C-alpha cells in the first residue's frame, strides 16, 4: 500500500465558520438531503479511514448498520489525536468534529487529503447533520470518548479506559429533521465499499447490516489485485479477448494505477478516479490514457504489418472498442471542473499518464504478441465498421436533408413545437398506439407506436443501428441524432416516455429501448429526459362508485383495506386485471397513464454508470445463467426497469 506521509499539525487546522451554516444549508455541504445525501454522510466518515489507510496506518475498516439505522464505522489506524489543540484550546478530536473545515484539508501547504467524498467536508458536517454522534478513540494507551447532539458537544472528550490498541470508532444517527429518510440502502453502500476496496489495494472493508436480526447481511472486501481485480469484476459476465487484465502501476510524483482488459463487446467502458473520487466527466488523466492507447496500437500495427502502408491510421474509438479499463491516479492539489465538478483539470497530468502508458503498454504488447494480435484484429474490424457506419449515417443525414420535414409515418406528432412542454410516448403495439393516439392531449403529446422485433443494440455495431427500420423512427422523432452526433439541444421532446405492458414482453421492450438510449443517446438519460409510463395493473369498480386504479399489488391491498374501512366489502367489487395497454380504451389510458395531473412517471436516472453497464450486459448479453440470477434477485427492478 502506498504511504502518504502528512502530519495534521495543530497549526493547519483553521477555524472558518460555524456548524449552524451547515444546518441552514445542508445541500451545499452534503449535496442533497435525499437518501443520496444520507449515504454521503457515511462516505465522509469512511473516507477518513481510507485516508488513514493510504497514509499506511490502517489495514481494516468495520462498518455496521445497527438496528435503528445507527451507522457505526471503525478503523484500526492511529486514532484521531486527543491532545489539546493550541488554537481552539479544546482537544484536537473535538476540534475536528465541531469546527467546519478543520481536519487539515483546508489548511493549505503540506496538509492534503488524498481520498475524498463529493464535497470533502468531513467529520464536522456529519456532526452538524446528525441527531447524535459518538466518537471513541484508542490511542496513547487509553480509550477516549466524546458525544455530540445536533453538532453541539454534550460530553467532552474524556478518558474512559486503558487500551494498548489504536483506532477510531464513530457511531451516528442522521438528523431526521434534515434528511428525507434515515433508511440506509445496503446495496448502494455495499457497491461503494467494494469500489473503495478495489481502489485501495490490500485494504479490508467489512460491512454488516444488523437492522433485521432475522436477516443479517454481511460482506467483506479485500483485493490484493487492486484495479486488476476491479476490471475482472467488471468483466465477470463478458467474454474476454485475453485472460489477464493488462496492469500498469507507477508511484511517482503523480501515482498512477491502471488495469485494462478487452472483451468481445462493442462498447467502451473506461472508469477514472482521482483521489478515489469517480471522475465521471473524465479530464486530463483520461485524455492522456486515450492518447497513449491510440498511439501505441497504431505504432504496433504499423511495425508488425497489421496495418498496410495504404491503410489509414486506427482512430481512438477503434482501439477502444470492447475495452474495460479503470484509471486511478492521486493528485495532491486536484482541480475539478465541469458541470458536476468531476472533470480533472490539472494539465500536467495528461503527459504524465500518456508517457507512462506509452512505455508500459508497448512493452506489454511486445511481450504478448498473441494478445496484441487479437486486440488489433478487433480494432481493425471496428475501423471497418466505423467506415460503414459513417456511410450509413451520411445516407440518413442526406435523406433527412432532402426530406427535412419527414417525420416517421407512424408518429402522431403534437402541435406544440416547444420541446420543453412536449412529450413523446413510445408505445409498444399498434392497438395500444391507437388508444394512445385517441386518448392523448394532442397539443403537447406525440405518440410513436413500435411494432415488430426491436434490434438488440448490445449485439450490434453502430453500422447496423443507422438505418435500422425499427430504431430509425425513434432517432428521427427524438430529433437529436445518435452516438457521437447526438446533440441534446436538438431534442424535440422534453420527455421521452416508454409505455409498455406490465408483463414480461413489456419488460423486454423497455430493456431494449433503455439499452439503446444508454448506449447511443446517453445524455438523454443523464439529462433526465427518459421516463417510464406506469399503466395500472388493476381496476376496481362498483355501481355508484368511481373506478379505482391500482398500479401495484401492494396498491391493490391498500385499496381493499381502505374500501373495507368505508364499509365496502371486497366481494362486492368487480376486479379487472389488465393484461396489456391494449385492453384500455382511450379515455381509460388518458385517465390512468397519460394525464399529467394523475399519472405516475418513473424518471430513468443513471446514478452509477458501472451498475448500468453491468445491468445491460446481463439483460441483453448471451449468458443465460447470470441473467436468470439477476432477474431472480431483482424482480422488482425488472418490473420497473429503472437503471
Ligand atoms: C472511524 C472514522 N475514522 C476517522 O474519522 C479517522 C480520522 C483519523 C485521523 C487520524 C487517524 N485516524 C483517523 N480516523 C490521524 C492521526 C494523526 C495524523 N493524522 C491523522 C496522528 O496521529 O498524528 N485524523 C484525521 C484528521 C485528524 N486526524 C486531525 F486533524 F485531527 F489530526
Amino acid at each position: 500500500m502506498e504511504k502518504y506521509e502528512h502530519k495534521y499539525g495543530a497549526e493547519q487546522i483553521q477555524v472558518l465558520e460555524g456548524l449552524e451554516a451547515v444546518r441552514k444549508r445542508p445541500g451545499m455541504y452534503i449535496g442533497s438531503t435525499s437518501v443520496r445525501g444520507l449515504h454521503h454522510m457515511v462516505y465522509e466518515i469512511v473516507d477518513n479511514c481510507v485516508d488513514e489507510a493510504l497514509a499506511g496506518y490502517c489495514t481494516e475498516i468495520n462498518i455496521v448498520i445497527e438496528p435503528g439505522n445507527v451507522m457505526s464505522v471503525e478503523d484500526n489506524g492511529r486514532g484521531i489525536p486527543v491532545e489539546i489543540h493550541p488554537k481552539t484550546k479544546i482537544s484536537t478530536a473535538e476540534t475536528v468534529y465541531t469546527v467546519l473545515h478543520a481536519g487539515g484539508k483546508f489548511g493549505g501547504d503540506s496538509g492534503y487529503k488524498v481520498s475524498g467524498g463529493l464535497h470533502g467536508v468531513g467529520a464536522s458536517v456529519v456532526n452538524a447533520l446528525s441527531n447524535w454522534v459518538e466518537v471513541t478513540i484508542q490511542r496513547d494507551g487509553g480509550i477516549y470518548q466524546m458525544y455530540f447532539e445536533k453538532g453541539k458537544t454534550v460530553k467532552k472528550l474524556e478518558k474512559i479506559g486503558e487500551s494498548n490498541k489504536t483506532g477510531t470508532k464513530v457511531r451516528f444517527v442522521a438528523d431526521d429533521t434534515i434528511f428525507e429518510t434515515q433508511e440506509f440502502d445496503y446495496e448502494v453502500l455495499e457497491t461503494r465499499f467494494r469500489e473503495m476496496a478495489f481502489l485501495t489495494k490490500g485494504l479490508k472493508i467489512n460491512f454488516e447490516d444488523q437492522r433485521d436480526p432475522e436477516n443479517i447481511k454481511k460482506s467483506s472486501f479485500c483485493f490484493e489485485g487492486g484495479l486488476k481485480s476491479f476490471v475482472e469484476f467488471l468483466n465477470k459476465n463478458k467474454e474476454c479477448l485475453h485472460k489477464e487484465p493488462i496492469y500498469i502501476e507507477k508511484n511517482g510524483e503523480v501515482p498512477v494505477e491502471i488495469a485494462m482488459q478487452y472483451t468481445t463487446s462493442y462498447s467502451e467502458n473506461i472508469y477514472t478516479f482521482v483521489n478515489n473520487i469517480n471522475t465521471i466527466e473524465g479530464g486530463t488523466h483520461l485524455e492522456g490514457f486515450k492518447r497513449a492507447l491510440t498511439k501505441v496500437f497504431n505504432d504496433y500495427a504499423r511495425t508488425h504489418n497489421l496495418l498496410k502502408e495504404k491503410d489509414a491510421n486506427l482512430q481512438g474509438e477503434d482501439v477502444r472498442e470492447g475495452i474495460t479499463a479503470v484509471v486511478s491516479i492521486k493528485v495532491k492539489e486536484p482541480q475539478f471542473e465541469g458541470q458536476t465538478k468531476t472533470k480533472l483539470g490539472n494539465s500536467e497530468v495528461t503527459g504524465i499518464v500518456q508517457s507512462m502508458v506509452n512505455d508500459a503498454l508497448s512493452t506489454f504488447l511486445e511481450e504478448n504478441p498473441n494478445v496484441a494480435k487479437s486486440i488489433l484484429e478487433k480494432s481493425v474490424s471496428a475501423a471497418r465498421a466505423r467506415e460503414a457506419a459513417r456511410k450509413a449515417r451520411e445516407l440518413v443525414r442526406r435523406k433527412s436533408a432532402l426530406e427535412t420535414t419527414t417525420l416517421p409515418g407512424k408518429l402522431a406528432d403534437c402541435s406544440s413545437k416547444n420541446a420543453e412542454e412536449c412529450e413523446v410516448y413510445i408505445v409498444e403495439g399498434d392497438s395500444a398506439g391507437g388508444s394512445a393516439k385517441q386518448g392523448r392531449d394532442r397539443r403537447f403529446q406525440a405518440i410513436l407506436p413500435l411494432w415488430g422485433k426491436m434490434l438488440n443494440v448490445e449485439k450490434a455495431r453502430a453500422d447496423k443501428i443507422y438505418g435500422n427500420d425499427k430504431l430509425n423512427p425513434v432517432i428521427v422523432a427524438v430529433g437529436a441524432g445518435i452516438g457521437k452526433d447526438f446533440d441534446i439541444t436538438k431534442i424535440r421532446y422534453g420527455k421521452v416516455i416508454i409505455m409498455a405492458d406490465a408483463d414480461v414482453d413489456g419488460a423486454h421492450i423497455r430493456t431494449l429501448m433503455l439499452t439503446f438510449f444508454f448506449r447511443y443517446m446517453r445524455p438523454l438519460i443523464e439529462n433526465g429526459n427518459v421516463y417510464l409510463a406506469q399503466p395500472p395493473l388493476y381496476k376496481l369498480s362498483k355501481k355508484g362508485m368511481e373506478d379505482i386504479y391500482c398500479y401495484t399489488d401492494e396498491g391493490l391491498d391498500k385499496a381493499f383495506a381502505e374500501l373495507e374501512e368505508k364499509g365496502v366489502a371486497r366481494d362486492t367489487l368487480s376486479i379487472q386485471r389488465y393484461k396489456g395497454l391494449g385492453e384500455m380504451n382511450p379515455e381509460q389510458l388518458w385517465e390512468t397513464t397519460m394525464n399529467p395531473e394523475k399519472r405516475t412517471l418513473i424518471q430513468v436516472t443513471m446514478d452509477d454508470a458501472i451498475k448500468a453497464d453491468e445491468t445491460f450486459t446481463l439483460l441483453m448479453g448471451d449468458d443465460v445463467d447470470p441473467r436468470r440470477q439477476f432477474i431472480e434477485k431483482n424482480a422488482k427492478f425488472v418490473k420497473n426497469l429503472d437503471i
Side-chain angles (χ1 to χ4, degrees):
M1 201 179 297
E2 179 63 17
K3 271 200 180 231
Y4 284 91
E5 268 308 337
H6 55 275
K7 269 252 163 276
Y8 283 88
E11 323 72 57
Q12 280 173 296
I13 296 176
Q14 296 179 349
V15 179
L16 290 170
E17 45 187 304
L19 296 193
E20 309 81 63
V22 183
R23 292 183 60 81
K24 260 192 207 134
R25 291 202 179 148
M28 253 185 66
Y29 295 88
I30 204 81
S32 81
T33 53
S34 66
V35 67
R36 218 176 177 177
L38 179 79
H39 290 153
H40 272 293
M41 299 269 280
V42 186
Y43 305 152
E44 287 296 340
I45 299 296
V46 178
D47 279 345
N48 290 335
C49 310
V50 174
D51 281 344
E52 187 65 357
L54 289 169
Y57 299 101
C58 160
T59 56
E60 194 162 336
I61 305 173
N62 287 303
I63 305 159
V64 180
I65 315 176
E66 297 175 6
N69 283 297
V70 176
M71 180 54 70
S72 167
V73 182
E74 181 171 19
D75 69 53
N76 66 349
R78 287 166 292 177
I80 305 178
V82 293
E83 79 282 346
I84 295 294
H85 187 275
K87 220 176 207 172
T88 59
K89 312 285 184 233
I90 55 176
S91 68
T92 304
E94 188 181 344
T95 307
V96 168
Y97 271 80
T98 53
V99 178
L100 193 60
H101 297 170
K105 62 191 146 164
F106 291 87
D109 288 354
S110 60
Y112 73 96
K113 197 172 156 74
V114 170
S115 161
L118 183 69
H119 293 269
V121 281
S124 59
V125 169
V126 174
N127 191 18
L129 302 179
S130 291
N131 276 344
W132 59 263
V133 177
E134 178 198 89
V135 183
T136 312
I137 298 163
Q138 297 186 74
R139 198 185 155 104
D140 305 334
I143 307 173
Y144 299 82
Q145 200 169 60
M146 56 186 177
Y147 190 80
F148 308 91
E149 280 175 9
K150 308 222 177 213
K152 300 242 155 62
T153 310
V154 170
K155 226 173 74 189
K156 290 184 83 63
L157 190 75
E158 61 169 344
K159 189 168 177 185
I160 58 164
E162 308 289 331
S163 169
N164 53 13
K165 290 196 197 134
T166 63
T168 306
K169 180 172 179 176
V170 175
R171 295 171 69 242
F172 70 92
V173 168
D175 191 329
D176 55 334
T177 63
I178 288 179
F179 289 95
E180 288 158 26
T181 174
Q182 290 179 303
E183 198 73 31
F184 294 106
D185 184 321
Y186 181 80
E187 287 196 6
V188 171
L189 292 174
E190 185 192 41
T191 302
R192 175 68 186 143
F193 298 149
R194 183 189 296 111
E195 188 175 289
M196 283 174 159
F198 281 131
L199 290 165
T200 320
K201 208 192 286 182
L203 172 66
K204 186 163 188 185
I205 301 182
N206 305 309
F207 182 35
E208 194 168 318
D209 185 351
Q210 300 177 341
R211 284 174 295 185
D212 176 0
E214 318 242 293
N215 179 26
I216 291 188
K217 297 178 196 154
K218 279 184 191 185
S219 26
S220 180
F221 306 112
C222 181
F223 304 104
E224 294 301 339
L227 295 193
K228 195 162 160 276
S229 315
F230 199 169
V231 165
E232 281 167 345
F233 172 81
L234 293 169
N235 280 348
K236 65 180 184 295
N237 296 311
K238 298 184 183 181
E239 196 186 320
C240 297
L241 289 189
H242 48 108
K243 208 163 159 266
E244 292 271 313
I246 303 168
Y247 185 69
I248 302 169
E249 190 183 19
K250 201 159 182 183
N251 290 316
E253 172 65 9
V254 176
V256 179
E257 192 189 353
I258 295 172
M260 55 193 263
Q261 189 177 32
Y262 280 85
T263 70
T264 55
S265 106
Y266 302 124
S267 48
E268 163 188 332
N269 289 302
I270 306 178
Y271 304 106
T272 59
F273 296 83
V274 174
N275 300 350
N276 284 3
I277 301 167
N278 189 347
T279 33
I280 295 155
E281 295 175 273
T284 49
H285 52 333
L286 178 61
E287 194 50 43
F289 177 64
K290 285 182 174 178
R291 281 189 201 172
L293 283 189
T294 313
K295 179 162 174 20
V296 171
F297 280 113
N298 270 298
D299 288 353
Y300 187 91
R302 295 275 174 212
T303 50
H304 293 78
N305 230 10
L306 298 166
L307 274 183
K308 304 278 173 303
E309 223 169 284
K310 63 173 177 33
D311 293 333
N313 263 356
L314 297 167
Q315 292 193 2
E317 62 189 275
D318 306 332
V319 302
R320 295 195 300 270
E321 189 189 89
I323 196 175
T324 301
V326 182
V327 176
S328 171
I329 70 166
K330 303 283 192 297
V331 183
K332 283 196 180 158
E333 281 183 40
Q335 289 147 24
F336 290 113
E337 303 168 347
Q339 252 189 345
T340 54
K341 291 270 173 278
T342 56
K343 182 175 182 183
L344 185 70
N346 301 54
S347 55
E348 72 282 6
V349 168
T350 309
I352 296 176
V353 175
Q354 190 179 345
S355 80
M356 222 201 90
V357 178
N358 265 340
D359 294 350
L361 187 59
S362 17
T363 309
F364 175 89
L365 297 182
E366 290 302 338
E367 287 170 0
N368 298 273
N370 289 340
V371 178
K373 189 163 169 270
S374 58
I375 297 174
L376 274 157
E377 273 168 3
K378 183 169 169 63
S379 303
V380 168
S381 96
R384 270 192 221 116
R386 170 174 50 75
E387 193 47 27
R390 188 185 60 76
K391 287 188 183 140
R393 203 165 54 224
E394 295 272 288
L395 209 70
V396 173
R397 271 212 208 112
R398 230 175 302 139
K399 244 171 112 186
S400 53
L402 287 173
E403 315 157 5
T404 35
T405 50
T406 314
L407 286 165
K410 293 231 172 203
L411 176 76
D413 209 3
C414 50
S415 50
S416 167
K417 294 289 166 255
N418 174 6
E420 237 170 78
E421 65 169 353
C422 293
E423 31 190 68
V424 61
Y425 276 84
I426 299 176
V427 189
E428 169 205 7
D430 270 345
S431 79
S435 284
K437 274 182 198 176
Q438 288 175 50
R440 69 183 169 141
D441 183 332
R442 60 184 60 234
R443 278 178 306 127
F444 66 95
Q445 290 180 321
I447 309 294
L448 179 63
L450 293 179
W451 76 104
K453 199 170 178 300
M454 177 65 62
L455 180 74
N456 178 358
V457 301
E458 204 61 26
K459 292 184 185 165
R461 272 199 173 119
D463 55 321
K464 298 281 176 295
I465 313 284
Y466 297 102
N468 174 273
D469 63 340
K470 304 291 181 292
L471 288 173
N472 213 33
V474 180
I475 301 167
V476 179
V478 173
I482 67 165
K484 271 195 312 211
D485 297 335
F486 186 82
D487 180 355
I488 192 84
T489 63
K490 295 215 174 96
I491 52 172
R492 301 180 60 249
Y493 308 96
K495 289 193 177 75
V496 176
I497 305 165
I498 305 167
M499 183 156 75
D501 289 340
D503 61 7
V504 176
D505 290 341
H508 191 60
I509 296 273
R510 269 195 299 269
T511 318
L512 286 166
M513 281 313 303
L514 284 177
T515 314
F516 170 62
F517 289 139
F518 178 69
R519 297 282 183 219
Y520 289 92
M521 296 189 185
R522 198 174 293 187
L524 200 65
I525 298 182
E526 288 166 345
N527 201 43
N529 300 102
V530 181
Y531 294 83
L532 304 176
Q534 273 236 292
L537 281 180
Y538 302 98
K539 181 173 86 169
L540 302 184
S541 48
K542 186 184 160 107
K543 216 167 166 226
M545 182 187 90
E546 208 177 302
D547 293 343
I548 296 173
Y549 295 97
C550 305
Y551 295 82
T552 56
D553 287 320
E554 297 81 54
L556 180 69
D557 291 341
K558 207 167 147 225
F560 280 143
E562 281 171 11
L563 286 170
E564 255 162 37
E565 253 176 47
K566 288 182 195 156
V568 183
R570 193 181 285 218
D571 54 11
T572 64
L573 294 162
S574 139
I575 307 159
Q576 184 181 357
R577 182 164 193 337
Y578 289 114
K579 287 196 206 75
L581 292 162
E583 285 180 20
M584 268 182 269
N585 63 37
E587 292 72 37
Q588 285 174 329
L589 200 55
W590 165 257
E591 274 308 297
T592 60
T593 318
M594 297 178 72
N595 179 355
E597 313 240 300
K598 296 190 181 162
R599 72 183 176 193
T600 315
L601 290 182
I602 299 171
Q603 190 175 35
V604 178
T605 56
M606 208 186 67
D607 267 355
D608 187 346
I610 296 177
K611 201 102 207 136
D613 178 70
E614 184 189 3
T615 306
F616 288 125
T617 309
L618 262 184
L619 288 175
M620 292 288 116
D622 287 318
D623 252 355
V624 178
D625 206 41
R627 174 163 54 223
R628 188 182 46 75
Q629 281 172 19
F630 177 88
I631 291 173
E632 275 168 14
K633 195 169 153 218
N634 295 278
K636 199 169 130 240
F637 167 89
V638 173
K639 211 158 139 194
N640 284 332
L641 275 169
D642 209 350
I643 53 174

